[in-house]
Protein backbone atom coordinates (compact mmCIF):
# COMPACT_ATOMS: atom_id res chain seq x y z
CA UNK A 1 0.00 0.00 0.00
CA UNK A 2 1.24 3.51 -0.81
CA UNK A 3 2.11 6.02 1.90
CA UNK A 4 -0.40 8.82 2.41
CA UNK A 5 0.63 11.78 0.30
CA UNK A 6 0.53 14.83 2.60
CA UNK A 7 0.90 18.25 0.99
CA UNK A 8 3.10 20.35 3.29
CA UNK A 9 1.42 23.71 3.96
CA UNK A 10 -0.75 22.72 0.98
CA UNK A 11 0.87 22.51 -2.46
CA UNK A 12 3.50 24.98 -1.23
CA UNK A 13 6.05 24.01 -3.89
CA UNK A 14 4.00 26.01 -6.39
CA UNK A 15 1.43 28.09 -4.51
CA UNK A 16 1.49 30.49 -1.54
CA UNK A 17 1.90 28.30 1.53
CA UNK A 18 -0.96 27.73 3.98
CA UNK A 19 -3.57 29.45 1.78
CA UNK A 20 -6.88 28.09 0.54
CA UNK A 21 -5.43 28.15 -2.98
CA UNK A 22 -2.52 25.90 -1.91
CA UNK A 23 -4.97 23.52 -0.21
CA UNK A 24 -7.28 23.31 -3.23
CA UNK A 25 -4.32 22.81 -5.58
CA UNK A 26 -3.00 20.01 -3.34
CA UNK A 27 -6.23 18.10 -3.81
CA UNK A 28 -6.11 18.69 -7.58
CA UNK A 29 -2.52 17.35 -7.60
CA UNK A 30 -3.66 14.10 -5.95
CA UNK A 31 -2.76 14.62 -2.28
CA UNK A 32 -4.46 12.34 0.25
CA UNK A 33 -3.67 14.67 3.11
CA UNK A 34 -2.75 18.27 3.97
CA UNK A 35 -0.32 19.45 6.63
CA UNK A 36 -0.91 22.99 7.94
CA UNK A 37 0.25 25.19 10.82
CA UNK A 38 -2.07 26.94 13.28
CA UNK A 39 -1.70 29.83 15.70
CA UNK A 40 -3.99 31.96 17.88
CA UNK A 41 -4.72 35.60 17.10
CA UNK A 42 -4.76 38.16 19.92
CA UNK A 43 -8.57 37.84 20.05
CA UNK A 44 -8.49 34.05 20.29
CA UNK A 45 -9.24 32.93 16.72
CA UNK A 46 -7.34 30.01 15.17
CA UNK A 47 -5.58 31.00 11.94
CA UNK A 48 -3.40 29.04 9.53
CA UNK A 49 0.09 30.51 9.34
CA UNK A 50 3.62 29.17 9.72
CA UNK A 51 5.95 31.94 10.89
CA UNK A 52 5.94 33.80 14.23
CA UNK A 53 6.20 37.06 12.33
CA UNK A 54 4.37 38.45 9.31
CA UNK A 55 7.21 39.82 7.19
CA UNK A 56 8.29 36.82 5.09
CA UNK A 57 4.81 35.84 3.97
CA UNK A 58 2.66 38.99 3.98
CA UNK A 59 2.66 42.76 3.54
CA UNK A 60 2.33 43.13 7.34
CA UNK A 61 4.98 43.60 10.03
CA UNK A 62 5.27 42.20 13.55
CA UNK A 63 4.31 39.14 15.55
CA UNK A 64 1.19 37.35 14.34
CA UNK A 65 -0.21 36.56 17.80
CA UNK A 66 -0.29 40.31 18.64
CA UNK A 67 -2.89 41.01 15.91
CA UNK A 68 -6.65 40.49 15.87
CA UNK A 69 -8.30 38.34 13.22
CA UNK A 70 -9.78 41.36 11.45
CA UNK A 71 -6.35 43.06 11.30
CA UNK A 72 -4.79 39.90 9.87
CA UNK A 73 -7.56 39.46 7.32
CA UNK A 74 -6.63 42.82 5.75
CA UNK A 75 -3.18 41.48 4.80
CA UNK A 76 -2.20 39.83 1.52
CA UNK A 77 -0.16 36.66 1.49
CA UNK A 78 2.69 36.84 -1.04
CA UNK A 79 3.47 34.06 -3.40
CA UNK A 80 7.11 33.07 -3.01
CA UNK A 81 6.91 30.98 -6.19
CA UNK A 82 4.81 32.94 -8.65
CA UNK A 83 4.42 36.74 -8.49
CA UNK A 84 1.31 36.54 -10.68
CA UNK A 85 -0.65 34.88 -7.90
CA UNK A 86 -2.27 37.57 -5.75
CA UNK A 87 -5.23 38.17 -3.48
CA UNK A 88 -4.55 35.35 -1.06
CA UNK A 89 -5.38 35.82 2.61
CA UNK A 90 -4.54 34.16 5.89
CA UNK A 91 -7.28 31.53 6.31
CA UNK A 92 -8.97 30.65 9.58
CA UNK A 93 -9.05 27.01 10.65
CA UNK A 94 -12.85 27.32 10.60
CA UNK A 95 -12.79 28.31 6.91
CA UNK A 96 -10.45 25.40 6.13
CA UNK A 97 -12.54 22.83 8.02
CA UNK A 98 -15.69 24.01 6.32
CA UNK A 99 -14.01 23.31 2.96
CA UNK A 100 -12.14 20.10 3.83
CA UNK A 101 -15.13 18.42 5.43
CA UNK A 102 -16.55 17.98 1.91
CA UNK A 103 -13.44 16.10 0.74
CA UNK A 104 -11.94 12.80 1.89
CA UNK A 105 -8.71 14.55 2.84
CA UNK A 106 -6.82 13.75 6.07
CA UNK A 107 -5.50 16.86 7.82
CA UNK A 108 -2.36 17.11 9.92
CA UNK A 109 -2.81 20.18 12.12
CA UNK A 110 0.53 21.34 13.52
CA UNK A 111 0.20 23.47 16.67
CA UNK A 112 2.62 26.38 16.33
CA UNK A 113 3.38 27.95 19.66
CA UNK A 114 6.52 29.81 20.68
CA UNK A 115 7.02 27.35 23.56
CA UNK A 116 5.07 24.49 25.10
CA UNK A 117 3.45 26.94 27.57
CA UNK A 118 -0.36 27.00 27.68
CA UNK A 119 -2.08 29.46 25.32
CA UNK A 120 -5.50 27.85 24.89
CA UNK A 121 -4.70 26.85 21.29
CA UNK A 122 -5.30 23.12 21.90
CA UNK A 123 -8.76 23.75 23.37
CA UNK A 124 -9.79 26.06 20.51
CA UNK A 125 -8.64 23.58 17.86
CA UNK A 126 -10.47 20.69 19.53
CA UNK A 127 -13.67 22.77 19.81
CA UNK A 128 -13.55 23.43 16.06
CA UNK A 129 -13.01 19.73 15.30
CA UNK A 130 -16.06 18.96 17.41
CA UNK A 131 -18.16 21.60 15.62
CA UNK A 132 -17.29 20.15 12.22
CA UNK A 133 -17.51 16.53 13.43
CA UNK A 134 -14.23 15.78 11.69
CA UNK A 135 -11.99 14.31 14.40
CA UNK A 136 -11.47 10.98 12.59
CA UNK A 137 -9.82 12.75 9.65
CA UNK A 138 -7.34 14.71 11.80
CA UNK A 139 -3.85 14.15 13.17
CA UNK A 140 -2.65 16.84 15.61
CA UNK A 141 1.11 17.33 15.95
CA UNK A 142 3.61 19.59 17.71
CA UNK A 143 7.32 19.76 18.46
CA UNK A 144 6.40 20.37 22.12
CA UNK A 145 5.68 17.39 24.36
CA UNK A 146 3.71 19.74 26.68
CA UNK A 147 1.32 20.69 23.86
CA UNK A 148 0.70 17.07 22.98
CA UNK A 149 0.10 16.07 26.60
CA UNK A 150 -2.52 18.83 26.84
CA UNK A 151 -4.23 17.63 23.64
CA UNK A 152 -4.46 14.09 25.00
CA UNK A 153 -5.76 15.32 28.38
CA UNK A 154 -8.49 17.34 26.66
CA UNK A 155 -9.44 14.70 24.07
CA UNK A 156 -7.97 11.25 24.49
CA UNK A 157 -9.21 9.77 21.22
CA UNK A 158 -7.94 12.34 18.73
CA UNK A 159 -4.97 11.03 16.70
CA UNK A 160 -1.65 12.65 17.57
CA UNK A 161 1.96 12.72 16.44
CA UNK A 162 5.15 14.04 18.03
CA UNK A 163 7.30 16.13 15.70
CA UNK A 164 11.03 15.77 16.16
CA UNK A 165 14.45 16.11 14.64
CA UNK A 166 15.77 13.56 17.15
CA UNK A 167 15.11 9.84 16.72
CA UNK A 168 16.92 8.63 19.83
CA UNK A 169 15.34 5.73 21.70
CA UNK A 170 14.59 8.13 24.56
CA UNK A 171 12.51 10.41 22.30
CA UNK A 172 10.67 7.53 20.67
CA UNK A 173 9.88 6.11 24.13
CA UNK A 174 8.65 9.56 25.23
CA UNK A 175 6.22 9.64 22.30
CA UNK A 176 4.88 6.25 23.34
CA UNK A 177 4.65 7.27 27.01
CA UNK A 178 2.53 10.34 26.23
CA UNK A 179 0.14 8.30 24.09
CA UNK A 180 1.13 9.31 20.57
CA UNK A 181 -0.16 7.31 17.60
CA UNK A 182 2.44 8.69 15.21
CA UNK A 183 6.06 9.81 15.16
CA UNK A 184 6.90 12.71 12.82
CA UNK A 185 10.67 12.71 12.20
CA UNK A 186 12.63 15.09 10.00
CA UNK A 187 13.58 13.80 6.52
CA UNK A 188 17.28 13.45 7.37
CA UNK A 189 16.30 10.47 9.59
CA UNK A 190 15.22 8.44 6.57
CA UNK A 191 17.19 5.23 7.00
CA UNK A 192 16.14 1.63 7.49
CA UNK A 193 17.49 1.19 11.01
CA UNK A 194 15.72 4.25 12.38
CA UNK A 195 12.46 3.43 10.61
CA UNK A 196 12.53 -0.13 11.91
CA UNK A 197 13.20 1.02 15.46
CA UNK A 198 10.26 3.47 15.44
CA UNK A 199 7.99 0.76 14.05
CA UNK A 200 9.13 -1.63 16.79
CA UNK A 201 7.82 0.88 19.33
CA UNK A 202 4.41 0.59 17.64
CA UNK A 203 4.31 4.10 16.18
CA UNK A 204 3.26 4.97 12.63
CA UNK A 205 5.58 7.37 10.82
CA UNK A 206 4.82 10.57 8.94
CA UNK A 207 8.10 12.02 7.70
CA UNK A 208 8.74 15.66 6.66
CA UNK A 209 9.67 17.38 4.36
CA UNK A 210 10.70 15.25 1.39
CA UNK A 211 10.85 16.98 -1.97
CA UNK A 212 13.47 15.57 -4.35
CA UNK A 213 12.25 12.76 -6.60
CA UNK A 214 15.04 10.37 -5.57
CA UNK A 215 14.25 10.98 -1.88
CA UNK A 216 10.53 10.56 -2.48
CA UNK A 217 11.27 7.21 -4.13
CA UNK A 218 13.35 6.12 -1.12
CA UNK A 219 10.65 7.27 1.29
CA UNK A 220 7.95 5.44 -0.66
CA UNK A 221 10.03 2.25 -0.52
CA UNK A 222 10.39 2.62 3.28
CA UNK A 223 6.67 1.92 3.82
CA UNK A 224 6.01 4.98 5.93
CA UNK A 225 2.44 5.76 6.93
CA UNK A 226 2.71 9.24 5.41
CA UNK A 227 5.14 11.37 3.43
CA UNK A 228 4.90 15.15 3.88
CA UNK A 229 6.02 17.01 0.76
CA UNK A 230 5.83 20.46 -0.82
CA UNK A 231 5.25 18.62 -4.14
CA UNK A 232 2.28 16.23 -3.89
CA UNK A 233 2.30 16.02 -7.70
CA UNK A 234 5.79 14.43 -7.71
CA UNK A 235 4.85 11.86 -5.09
CA UNK A 236 1.59 11.08 -6.86
CA UNK A 237 3.52 10.37 -10.05
CA UNK A 238 5.98 8.07 -8.29
CA UNK A 239 3.15 6.18 -6.60
CA UNK A 240 1.31 5.88 -9.93
CA UNK A 241 4.42 4.45 -11.64
CA UNK A 242 4.88 1.88 -8.87
CA UNK A 243 1.31 0.66 -9.11
CA UNK A 244 1.40 0.10 -12.90
O1 LIG B 1 4.75 19.06 10.26
C1 LIG B 1 5.91 18.93 9.53
C2 LIG B 1 6.63 20.24 9.34
O2 LIG B 1 5.69 21.18 8.89
C3 LIG B 1 7.31 20.73 10.58
O3 LIG B 1 8.08 21.87 10.38
O4 LIG B 1 8.57 24.26 10.21
O5 LIG B 1 7.62 23.09 8.24
O6 LIG B 1 6.21 23.56 10.24
P1 LIG B 1 7.59 23.26 9.74
MG1 LIG C 1 4.33 22.52 9.79
Amino acid sequence: MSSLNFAHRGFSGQFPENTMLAFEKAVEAGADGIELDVQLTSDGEVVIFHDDTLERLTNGKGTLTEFTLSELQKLSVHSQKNAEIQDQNIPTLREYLSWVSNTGIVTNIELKTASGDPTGLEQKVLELLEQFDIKEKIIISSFYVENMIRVKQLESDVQTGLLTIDCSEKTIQKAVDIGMDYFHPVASQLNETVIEQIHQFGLKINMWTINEESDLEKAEAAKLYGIITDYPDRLKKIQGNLST
Side-chain angles (χ1 to χ4, degrees), residues 92-143:
T92 59
L93 184 61
R94 181 185 301 279
E95 181 183 359
Y96 172 84
L97 292 175
S98 162
W99 166 76
V100 85
S101 51
N102 299 313
T103 70
I105 290 286
V106 178
T107 304
N108 174 199
I109 298 176
E110 182 189 344
L111 306 173
K112 280 282 184 221
T113 51
S115 71
D117 294 343
T119 60
L121 178 61
E122 299 88 356
Q123 175 83 41
K124 289 270 163 98
V125 168
L126 290 166
E127 281 168 12
L128 284 165
L129 301 185
E130 184 72 27
Q131 278 173 35
F132 285 88
D133 191 20
I134 198 172
K135 214 173 48 196
E136 295 70 29
K137 287 283 185 188
I138 303 290
I139 301 169
I140 299 181
S141 62
S142 170
F143 284 102

Side-chain angles (χ1 to χ4, degrees), residues 16-35:
E17 64 179 65
N18 281 327
T19 61
M20 289 309 300
L21 179 66
F23 303 141
E24 287 158 9
K25 293 291 181 185
V27 176
E28 283 176 29
D32 309 299
I34 288 172
E35 186 270 357

Side-chain angles (χ1 to χ4, degrees), residues 8-9 35 37 50 108 110 112 143 163 208-209 228:
H8 182 237
R9 311 180 198 170
E35 186 270 357
D37 307 289
H50 178 271
N108 174 199
E110 182 189 344
K112 280 282 184 221
F143 284 102
L163 274 160
W208 52 280
T209 302
I228 301 175

Side-chain angles (χ1 to χ4, degrees), residues 32-238:
D32 309 299
I34 288 172
E35 186 270 357
L36 53 82
D37 307 289
V38 296
Q39 305 190 41
L40 270 188
T41 65
S42 65
D43 53 344
E45 296 292 331
V46 184
V47 288
I48 304 178
F49 199 76
H50 178 271
D51 293 3
D52 296 344
T53 53
L54 297 167
E55 282 81 348
R56 180 178 70 92
L57 295 165
T58 76
N59 55 347
K61 281 194 175 68
T63 302
L64 179 133
T65 53
E66 293 173 359
F67 290 84
T68 63
L69 176 62
S70 75
E71 288 168 337
L72 292 170
Q73 284 182 324
K74 293 188 186 106
L75 303 177
S76 316
V77 178
H78 314 305
S79 177
Q80 299 79 44
K81 313 284 172 182
N82 181 347
E84 284 172 23
I85 301 173
Q86 291 178 349
D87 296 330
Q88 291 303 307
N89 302 107
I90 298 174
T92 59
L93 184 61
R94 181 185 301 279
E95 181 183 359
Y96 172 84
L97 292 175
S98 162
W99 166 76
V100 85
S101 51
N102 299 313
T103 70
I105 290 286
V106 178
T107 304
N108 174 199
I109 298 176
E110 182 189 344
L111 306 173
K112 280 282 184 221
T113 51
S115 71
D117 294 343
T119 60
L121 178 61
E122 299 88 356
Q123 175 83 41
K124 289 270 163 98
V125 168
L126 290 166
E127 281 168 12
L128 284 165
L129 301 185
E130 184 72 27
Q131 278 173 35
F132 285 88
D133 191 20
I134 198 172
K135 214 173 48 196
E136 295 70 29
K137 287 283 185 188
I138 303 290
I139 301 169
I140 299 181
S141 62
S142 170
F143 284 102
Y144 293 102
V145 165
E146 297 86 345
N147 287 354
M148 297 318 302
I149 291 174
R150 264 196 303 279
V151 169
K152 278 292 180 191
Q153 282 169 344
L154 290 164
E155 178 58 77
S156 59
D157 63 351
V158 70
Q159 298 188 84
T160 48
L162 183 65
L163 274 160
T164 183
I165 55 171
D166 157 31
C167 287
S168 64
E169 204 172 313
K170 190 170 160 225
T171 303
I172 305 169
Q173 184 64 55
K174 185 79 194 170
V176 173
D177 292 345
I178 63 170
M180 297 296 100
D181 309 280
Y182 299 88
F183 201 66
H184 289 202
V186 68
S188 57
Q189 300 284 356
L190 180 57
N191 78 64
E192 267 181 43
T193 317
V194 173
I195 301 298
E196 198 184 316
Q197 187 177 31
I198 300 166
H199 281 152
Q200 277 171 359
F201 277 78
L203 295 166
K204 293 175 271 189
I205 302 172
N206 295 314
M207 189 168 265
W208 52 280
T209 302
I210 306 177
N211 287 333
E212 297 307 321
E213 279 182 29
S214 56
D215 296 330
L216 286 166
E217 280 165 9
K218 271 187 232 153
E220 183 62 30
K223 305 278 176 215
L224 307 174
Y225 183 85
I227 298 172
I228 301 175
T229 176
D230 296 339
Y231 296 93
D233 56 335
R234 291 182 189 168
L235 180 54
K236 181 73 181 173
K237 193 164 157 226
I238 288 164

